[in-house]
Amino acid sequence: KLKRFAENLTFKNLFQYQYEDLQAPAAFPLKGKWCQDYFKNDNPIIVEVGCGKGEYTTGLAAMYPEKNFIGFDRQGARLWRGCRNAIENNLENVAFVRTNIQFIEHFFAKDEVDEIWVTFPDPQPCKPNHRKRLTSSTFLKRYSNILKPDGIMHLKTDSDFFFDFTLETIAEGKHEILFKSHDLYADEVKDDVSKIQTFYEKMWLEQGLKIKYVRFKINRATL
């Protein structure tokens, strides 16, 4: 891990910020300027939260060179793999941020993001932790502050508990479901959500677990 952490410091596609780093005004210089100053284009921005090794972030980036992708995770050892993969495959439309996802609003201006993916998050099954779940109303509020008004949310999970929790949150907030599946591969969904499988997703499928997916728009008025 120490070798990977050291190499992380050399990656131009990785930004690492702790809580104290974000307290000063305009602490993150690319906020509101990702396309202008980093990607050097006007393409849509797609964010993955809890991206792990960046398999989805880099997979989508390879499929869609006309879009920009940014993966967020707090584990540097995981992000090392995503950064290396992007560099080795010359994916210039990819960046990663190492931070706690609760700080995501520090990294984007209002309406700067087009889509957000939440892929196989920790279900946080204990009731006191419900606000920490990445599709809780607390997090949807944060996402709504950076998503465009017509921005899209994606959730992909193997957890029945987390999927049901998300559907309840969507219903309570009167958010708009665009598509949902309780068994993605049995339903033979053929789009981005089924074309990329992470290491753990393949393992869970081999164990007979069903992969759930929902795509929706956030209703800002209820948050």
Side-chain angles (χ1 to χ4, degrees), residues 2-222:
L2 292 178
K3 183 179 179 181
R4 291 185 176 187
F5 290 156
E7 191 170 5
N8 278 349
L9 297 175
T10 70
F11 290 145
K12 294 182 179 180
N13 60 355
L14 176 62
F15 302 88
Q16 303 187 78
Y17 278 76
Q18 302 296 328
Y19 172 77
E20 55 271 18
D21 301 325
L22 297 168
Q23 299 313 299
F28 185 66
L30 291 177
K31 182 177 181 178
K33 301 178 181 179
W34 276 99
C35 287
Q36 174 185 325
D37 292 350
Y38 182 79
F39 293 113
K40 309 295 185 182
N41 59 47
D42 294 322
N43 296 337
I45 292 177
I46 319 299
V47 169
E48 182 185 6
V49 298
C51 69
K53 296 179 181 180
E55 293 161 287
Y56 243 86
T57 301
T58 55
L60 288 171
M63 291 169 59
Y64 299 103
E66 74 279 7
K67 296 181 180 180
N68 302 320
F69 295 86
I70 306 170
F72 278 74
D73 205 282
R74 62 181 180 178
Q75 298 294 332
R78 297 175 186 170
L79 288 173
W80 173 87
R81 181 65 269 168
C83 292
R84 289 294 309 169
N85 188 24
I87 292 169
E88 290 167 359
N89 289 281
N90 298 313
L91 297 174
E92 297 184 357
N93 59 331
V94 174
F96 292 96
V97 179
R98 183 187 179 191
T99 194
N100 192 310
I101 197 60
Q102 72 186 56
F103 305 138
I104 193 169
E105 293 167 273
H106 290 272
F107 295 89
F108 298 101
K110 182 178 176 60
D111 301 343
E112 189 173 9
V113 175
D114 293 81
E115 299 179 36
I116 294 178
W117 284 78
V118 183
T119 50
F120 301 100
D122 182 347
Q124 301 277 356
C126 297
K127 286 187 177 180
N129 288 330
H130 71 93
R131 292 184 180 179
K132 295 183 179 180
R133 296 172 195 151
L134 294 183
T135 55
S136 68
S137 58
T138 299
F139 274 99
L140 292 187
K141 174 64 175 178
R142 292 180 176 128
Y143 303 149
S144 73
N145 289 331
I146 63 174
L147 272 173
K148 293 180 179 177
D150 59 347
I152 304 296
M153 289 291 307
H154 304 263
L155 168 68
K156 192 177 184 183
T157 180
D158 63 299
S159 169
D160 290 320
F161 168 82
F162 194 87
F163 193 63
D164 290 341
F165 167 79
T166 301
L167 294 181
E168 290 173 5
T169 302
I170 291 173
E172 290 172 0
K174 297 181 181 179
H175 307 301
E176 180 186 358
I177 291 180
L178 303 175
F179 177 82
K180 67 178 177 180
S181 171
H182 289 267
D183 192 346
L184 186 65
Y185 296 102
D187 291 342
E188 298 184 348
V189 176
K190 299 186 184 301
D191 61 13
D192 302 345
V193 73
S194 60
K195 290 179 181 177
I196 301 172
Q197 292 182 359
T198 66
F199 170 82
Y200 288 106
E201 180 178 356
K202 292 176 182 177
M203 182 175 66
W204 291 320
L205 286 169
E206 289 175 357
Q207 294 174 3
L209 296 180
K210 296 178 180 178
I211 305 302
K212 277 70 67 175
Y213 170 74
V214 62
R215 180 166 61 242
F216 64 100
K217 289 185 178 182
I218 294 175
N219 180 2
R220 292 181 175 182
T222 62

